[in-house]
Amino acid sequence: MWNNKRGTCLHSKGELWGLFILLLYTSPLSCSSNFSHLIYKIKEGLPKGTLIGAISSDLKLDLSVNPPRSFNLELKTASQQYVNLNNTTGELFTSALEIDREALCAESHEGQGCAIFLDVLILPQQYFQLVKIKIIIEDVNDNRPHFPVGEIRVFVPENAPVNARFAVEQSAVDPDIGIHSVQTYWLVNDYGVFTLDVEENEGGELTPFLIITESLDRETQAEYVTDIIAEDGGTPPLLGTATLRIIIMDVNDNCPKFTESQVNVTLYGNASKGMQLARLQAYDPDEGANALITYTFSERVTQESRNLFHLDTNTGVLKLAGKIDNNTGKLFKLIVLANGPTCIPEVAMVTIHVIKQLSGPPVVIPRYIASEKDGVVSISESEPAFSPIALFTIKNTEPQQKIECLLEGTGPFRLVPYERFKNEYLLETTELLDYEQQQDYEIVIVVRNSHGLVVNTVVKVHVLDVNDNAPVFKQSFIEITVEENNPPNTFLAQLQATDADSESRGEVYYLLGADAPTIFDLDRSTGVLTVSTSLDREEKETYRFMVRAIDRGTPRKESIATVIITVQDRNDNSPRFINKDFTFFVPENFPGFGEIGALTVTDADAGENGWVALSILNGSDIFVIDTGRGALRAKTSLDREQQGTYYVWIEAIDGGEPALSCITMVTVLLLDVNDNPPTVLFPQSNQSYMLVLPNTLPGTSITEVYAVDRDTGMNAVIAYSIIKRTDGEPGSFDIDPYTGNITLRKSLSNRGLYSLWVKVRDHGQPELYSTVLVNLFVNETVSNETLIQSLLPRSVDIDHGVLPPDKEGRKGEQVPNLCGEYQVLLLALTATCLGLFLTVLSLVMFICCKKRKPKKKRLESEIPLNLINQEMVVKNLMEISNI
């Protein structure tokens, strides 16, 4: 019905989509509706070809209909570039364009989520259905927190109270959402005076706050530099780092202080105007405007003194501003004030003693060779010894007047007359200067004439720093221990090196040496050493590499230290046998507690984790195992005839916590030893007999001796031979040495009892054998059982190897003529010896022939002995029953 109306009612594509929207809000979502809504969830970053969902399966559609259904994406939208639709099965897959949730939904906030919307049309028209698909993109932790700037500055007044809080405005951002966003902040080094707290606003954003935990003093330390770490909640967590520079702002909590509160100046009456008399110096530990010092005369200084002397308000230099009367001596006392902002002025007293002079005091004229500014001479510490500083010329002296010029003060300086010029003195260094030991010197050039007039000239020397010190590590060997299987980006240590130079020359940054593995990271600024991956002690136990500390001076200087990282073992390796299973061959009757074989087991762990104990899971009543050597032993001697093969399960357990183990199977195969003589199964008794008819033809098989041997191999190969005969006709019977078959060799002419002693031996070493007596009664019938029994050898005779004498038959029974047998006994014995010789010769020839046919022999040896024995037993039992 929908298809019939579609052509008449809808005249445009816009009307079609309008109707779809109408159906979306008015039609119930039932199985019979032409509209369906599916929601799938996938994680961002999935590879191409990952199955998102199967529309046909989720809507329970039959794909076997004819014509078949087809699935089509309607309207080309930006969302379609992320998915591929199988038009036949309706399966949605990710495309080659990887989905990045942060790029796809950059403008949406966390509460809105991120999704892709698709419209799928199921055709042809008789199956038409519109499927609205919403694919929700779930976030993964694929973004590291980052700060908007590399260095964050926080300004803290030095009088900030304990527990004062200062917001770190440049907080870190993480494009991920939820638990994958920034969860906490922490400081690498808090210096014992700071800590971090994190506050969450209504929008869920975290702002770190710097909290003061101890009192601050800018004059003790003006700034603190550390790293602030932002950590998200992923597994493993990702970190973001920025440098946090905490600047302590000055507060005017210090007032100026004079270095000298009493200054004495001697002035001669002929002193010239503008002459520098003294330099008053005060200091204030504060900085900036708080350290500004101005020098003024006290209100108690008279106007006459103010007109005669000039005080520079900025530098504190006191100079002669007027003309001194040379004819009169006078004493001036000047009170000088050092003024600081909001401070009570500091007071210094300057006493000027004017001495009456006829010719006047000497005049010292300095000429500076080194750089000079405001009376301070600057010289680099790199200058060699005996570097000139200044040249002093002494004037206003009489020709015959003796001048004494000397140097007062401490330091590596000397004042020497300059070559051949009179009244010229050179100030120079006596050794290398060291900025790191002392930066400033104050020396006085004292000039005294013969009238006792003295002129003091103060020279201040400031040493300039050069980059002459390399950074120094606190330790040249840095030993670090870390457990294996550590999480990535594990903190190992913070390296620290100091540089005695000043300013940028003393700033240090850190680098890894060229021999450092790439798995280690070293922060250039903080010296924080981390490992980016998980370590495995079994792969490598010790890492040894160099680290460098480099300053920023010119030329740059550096020092190195050796880092030794020892990976501590964890019980993460199970014991391993060198073989999957073991097979040991041991002869039976092997003595008890003899070593059957040794099992080798290894464990890649170390210490107790690598100690392995062996135990028997089954058969512990028969076997024991030596844990130290892994030797398997049997408690008692084993008998192959009782059991030929043993299967023993051995477990190896290490000493770790928790303990790990592995199991192997040991097969113990017992090798046969010739410890069993052949057992004769037929005839069953030496007292048994068998009837042989006198007309039996030569070559006829009469009976057989059947024996078995519980051993195997050559130990069970049986040979039969007749070792003694008691028959009346020697050589009447033969026995097959291989089968034990007894045949008639020649016609029987005598009747009576024939007894054959048969030896049954094996081929083992040593050879074991048994004997049996085969009794053959030659007659047509057995009519007198008692007579036959009386003819049989007694058991006592058999035990002593003596055959009983022949007895006469009873009346009425046909008895052979036994006397004739005794008459030919000697001949029979001779024939028997000859027959034995021929038999041995035949056996030797037969064995030689057998050796030439190895294939046949091999086939015979491959027949299971128990099968041969069973067949032969059955055969003989049947013959016995027939008899």
Side-chain angles (χ1 to χ4, degrees):
M1 182 176 180
W2 165 258
N3 293 334
N4 295 336
K5 292 182 178 181
R6 183 173 183 269
T8 57
C9 298
L10 301 181
H11 302 288
S12 67
K13 192 173 184 180
E15 293 177 357
L16 174 62
W17 286 105
L19 182 56
F20 287 167
I21 295 172
L22 180 61
L23 289 173
L24 176 63
Y25 289 97
T26 59
S27 300
L29 299 179
S30 63
C31 295
S32 60
S33 173
N34 289 336
F35 169 80
S36 297
H37 190 194
L38 295 177
I39 298 177
Y40 298 110
K41 289 184 179 180
I42 63 172
K43 294 186 180 296
E44 63 173 324
L46 293 178
K48 178 184 178 182
T50 301
L51 178 65
I52 299 174
I55 299 174
S56 59
S57 298
D58 296 335
L59 295 180
K60 296 182 174 56
L61 300 178
D62 186 5
L63 297 180
S64 63
V65 296
N66 189 21
R69 287 184 173 89
S70 64
F71 301 84
N72 302 278
L73 286 171
E74 186 63 17
L75 296 180
K76 297 298 182 180
T77 62
S79 300
Q80 294 184 16
Q81 61 183 328
Y82 298 106
V83 299
N84 291 329
L85 174 64
N86 188 312
N87 300 101
T88 303
T89 64
E91 292 177 325
L92 276 173
F93 299 91
T94 55
S95 67
L97 182 60
E98 185 178 288
I99 299 176
D100 185 0
R101 189 199 65 81
E102 290 74 30
L104 180 63
C105 304
E107 298 180 358
S108 62
H109 57 77
E110 182 175 345
Q112 291 179 337
C114 182
I116 295 173
F117 297 92
L118 302 171
D119 288 343
V120 176
L121 296 180
I122 301 177
L123 299 173
Q125 293 182 349
Q126 58 264 42
Y127 309 127
F128 174 76
Q129 192 172 352
L130 172 63
V131 182
K132 291 281 187 178
I133 296 178
K134 179 181 179 181
I135 304 175
I136 299 175
I137 309 303
E138 296 181 337
D139 183 47
V140 297
N141 192 27
D142 57 347
N143 289 279
R144 188 183 299 274
H146 67 276
F147 289 88
V149 293
E151 180 177 289
I152 302 172
R153 297 193 173 196
V154 177
F155 295 89
V156 178
E158 65 176 327
N159 62 347
V162 175
N163 295 327
R165 302 166 66 89
F166 297 89
V168 181
E169 298 296 342
Q170 295 93 342
S171 58
V173 294
D174 192 328
D176 296 322
I177 61 174
I179 192 64
H180 296 152
S181 62
V182 178
Q183 299 297 311
T184 186
Y185 294 85
W186 46 279
L187 294 176
V188 173
N189 185 4
D190 58 11
Y191 294 96
V193 296
F194 302 105
T195 187
L196 274 185
D197 189 18
V198 180
E199 291 185 2
E200 183 176 0
N201 59 18
E202 296 179 356
E205 296 179 351
L206 300 180
T207 301
F209 280 81
L210 184 70
I211 301 177
I212 310 302
T213 59
E214 297 290 342
S215 299
L216 303 173
D217 185 5
R218 190 206 62 81
E219 288 72 35
T220 302
Q221 186 164 351
E223 70 175 13
Y224 300 85
V225 180
T226 183
D227 277 357
I228 182 171
I229 308 296
E231 181 178 329
D232 64 20
T235 303
L238 301 179
L239 307 179
T241 306
T243 300
L244 180 63
R245 188 178 296 274
I246 306 170
I247 301 172
I248 309 303
M249 296 187 297
D250 185 48
V251 177
N252 191 25
D253 54 350
N254 293 281
C255 289
K257 297 289 183 182
F258 277 108
T259 56
E260 293 180 287
S261 59
Q262 294 286 338
V263 179
N264 296 315
V265 178
T266 299
L267 183 64
Y268 297 97
N270 60 349
S272 58
K273 182 180 179 180
M275 177 181 176
Q276 180 176 327
L277 304 178
R279 182 187 180 96
L280 290 90
Q281 188 172 8
Y283 68 94
D284 190 329
D286 295 326
E287 66 177 4
N290 296 327
L292 186 62
I293 300 174
T294 58
Y295 302 89
T296 59
F297 287 124
S298 171
E299 295 295 332
R300 290 182 287 176
V301 176
T302 64
Q303 187 62 41
E304 178 188 2
S305 297
R306 291 175 182 267
N307 294 334
L308 191 59
F309 302 102
H310 172 73
L311 178 64
D312 191 301
T313 58
N314 295 323
T315 63
V317 174
L318 182 65
K319 293 183 178 181
L320 183 62
K323 180 69 175 175
I324 297 295
D325 187 358
N326 187 38
N327 296 321
T328 60
K330 196 173 183 181
L331 184 67
F332 295 92
K333 291 188 176 182
L334 306 177
I335 300 175
V336 179
L337 304 178
N339 304 285
T342 67
C343 288
I344 298 175
E346 178 75 1
V347 179
M349 176 68 73
V350 179
T351 301
I352 303 176
H353 186 208
V354 179
I355 300 176
K356 181 180 178 181
Q357 289 290 329
L358 296 178
S359 59
V363 176
V364 180
I365 302 175
R367 288 177 288 174
Y368 295 102
I369 301 172
S371 176
E372 181 269 340
K373 184 178 181 181
D374 296 331
V376 178
V377 180
S378 299
I379 183 171
S380 174
E381 64 174 331
S382 63
E383 294 293 335
F386 305 107
S387 295
I389 298 175
L391 189 65
F392 295 93
T393 302
I394 311 301
K395 293 188 176 182
N396 197 24
T397 59
E398 297 177 359
Q400 302 300 324
Q401 192 176 30
K402 184 178 179 181
I403 298 296
E404 182 182 6
C405 187
L406 52 90
L407 188 66
E408 290 184 353
T410 59
F413 306 99
R414 71 175 182 176
L415 187 67
V416 294
Y418 183 66
E419 296 179 352
R420 293 174 295 177
F421 294 97
K422 187 178 180 181
N423 296 335
E424 297 281 350
Y425 294 88
L426 180 66
L427 178 64
E428 62 183 8
T429 60
T430 58
E431 59 186 49
L432 286 173
L433 302 178
D434 190 350
Y435 172 87
E436 288 70 35
Q437 291 185 0
Q438 187 170 346
Q439 295 87 38
D440 296 286
Y441 297 89
E442 186 172 293
I443 53 180
V444 180
I445 310 297
V446 180
V447 179
R448 183 183 293 112
N449 61 13
S450 57
H451 300 291
L453 298 179
V454 179
V455 175
N456 294 333
T457 301
V458 178
V459 178
K460 293 185 176 181
V461 179
H462 176 68
V463 182
L464 299 176
D465 186 33
V466 297
N467 193 32
D468 59 342
N469 289 281
V472 177
F473 281 99
K474 287 188 175 181
Q475 296 173 304
S476 58
F477 287 89
I478 304 167
E479 297 184 356
I480 304 169
T481 58
V482 59
E483 280 195 348
E484 64 174 331
N485 305 328
N486 57 286
N489 301 317
T490 296
F491 172 84
L492 298 178
Q494 183 173 17
L495 310 182
Q496 291 185 348
T498 57
D499 194 317
D501 293 323
S502 62
E503 300 176 351
S504 62
R505 294 176 290 272
E507 295 180 4
V508 179
Y509 64 94
Y510 304 89
L511 295 176
L512 290 172
D515 60 340
T518 57
I519 60 175
F520 296 101
D521 297 320
L522 181 61
D523 189 284
R524 290 171 58 94
S525 303
T526 64
V528 173
L529 180 64
T530 58
V531 57
S532 61
T533 186
S534 181
L535 300 177
D536 186 357
R537 187 203 67 82
E538 289 72 37
E539 181 179 338
K540 190 169 185 179
E541 183 174 5
T542 303
Y543 295 87
R544 185 186 182 103
F545 54 88
M546 311 298 290
V547 290
R548 303 163 57 198
I550 307 173
D551 62 23
R552 300 184 183 275
T554 303
R556 302 193 178 212
K557 291 184 177 292
E558 67 175 84
S559 62
I560 59 174
T562 301
V563 175
I564 303 172
I565 298 176
T566 302
V567 183
Q568 294 181 336
D569 184 54
R570 296 181 67 181
N571 193 27
D572 57 347
N573 289 279
S574 301
R576 291 182 179 273
F577 289 96
I578 60 170
N579 296 328
K580 183 178 180 181
D581 50 43
F582 295 82
T583 301
F584 297 126
F585 296 88
V586 61
E588 63 174 329
N589 305 328
F590 193 68
F593 292 98
E595 182 176 325
I596 295 174
L599 285 74
T600 303
V601 62
T602 61
D603 194 317
D605 294 320
E608 292 185 359
N609 296 331
W611 180 85
V612 179
L614 300 176
S615 61
I616 299 176
L617 298 181
N618 68 320
S620 58
D621 55 335
I622 302 175
F623 297 95
V624 293
I625 191 163
D626 181 2
T627 296
R629 295 186 57 250
L632 182 65
R633 308 174 190 272
K635 293 181 179 179
T636 59
S637 179
L638 301 179
D639 187 357
R640 188 203 63 80
E641 286 71 35
Q642 292 183 2
Q643 184 173 342
T645 304
Y646 293 87
Y647 300 97
V648 184
W649 292 94
I650 307 295
E651 182 181 29
I653 305 177
D654 63 22
E657 187 64 35
L660 301 177
S661 64
C662 69
I663 298 174
T664 189
M665 186 183 75
V666 178
T667 302
V668 179
L669 297 176
L670 298 182
L671 301 177
D672 185 50
V673 174
N674 193 28
D675 58 347
N676 290 282
T679 301
V680 179
L681 298 180
F682 183 83
Q684 297 179 350
S685 170
N686 288 333
Q687 299 295 312
S688 64
Y689 66 93
M690 183 177 179
L691 179 64
V692 180
L693 299 177
N695 58 354
T696 302
L697 298 177
T700 301
S701 176
I702 304 301
T703 185
E704 69 174 339
V705 177
Y706 178 66
V708 294
D709 196 317
R710 296 177 63 192
D711 296 322
T712 60
M714 294 302 295
N715 296 332
V717 176
I718 298 175
Y720 303 89
S721 61
I722 299 174
I723 59 175
K724 188 175 183 180
R725 305 169 186 262
T726 61
D727 52 353
E729 299 180 23
S732 300
F733 299 95
D734 281 339
I735 189 169
D736 190 299
Y738 299 104
T739 66
N741 188 31
I742 297 177
T743 58
L744 183 62
R745 183 178 181 185
K746 61 183 179 177
S747 298
L748 298 173
S749 59
N750 296 324
R751 289 171 174 77
L753 185 66
Y754 291 72
S755 295
L756 305 177
W757 284 97
V758 178
K759 179 180 179 181
V760 183
R761 64 178 180 85
D762 58 25
H763 284 68
Q765 291 294 331
E767 177 185 281
L768 300 179
Y769 67 91
S770 299
T771 59
V772 66
L773 182 62
V774 179
N775 298 306
L776 303 176
F777 184 64
V778 180
N779 202 7
E780 285 77 3
T781 60
V782 180
S783 59
N784 193 339
E785 184 72 26
T786 304
L787 175 62
I788 297 175
Q789 291 295 334
S790 65
L791 294 177
L792 293 175
R794 296 188 304 273
S795 59
V796 176
D797 298 331
I798 294 173
D799 293 338
H800 291 83
V802 179
L803 291 175
D806 296 333
K807 297 182 179 181
E808 296 181 357
R810 294 188 178 184
K811 184 178 180 181
E813 182 166 354
Q814 185 178 357
V815 179
N817 185 12
L818 300 179
C819 295
E821 294 177 0
Y822 291 105
Q823 294 174 356
V824 293
L825 178 60
L826 183 60
L827 181 63
L829 289 176
T830 305
T832 300
C833 293
L834 181 60
L836 287 175
F837 174 77
L838 295 176
T839 301
V840 171
L841 182 61
S842 301
L843 285 175
V844 172
M845 295 178 65
F846 180 81
I847 292 173
C848 294
C849 293
K850 286 290 184 178
K851 289 183 178 180
R852 295 177 183 176
K853 300 179 180 180
K855 293 186 178 180
K856 183 175 180 181
K857 185 176 182 180
R858 180 180 178 187
L859 292 174
E860 291 174 354
S861 63
E862 290 176 352
I863 300 176
L865 184 60
N866 57 357
L867 181 59
I868 297 175
N869 293 340
Q870 290 175 4
E871 293 177 352
M872 294 179 69
V873 169
V874 172
K875 179 179 178 183
N876 283 279
L877 289 176
M878 292 177 64
E879 290 182 356
I880 293 171
S881 63
N882 294 333
I883 293 173

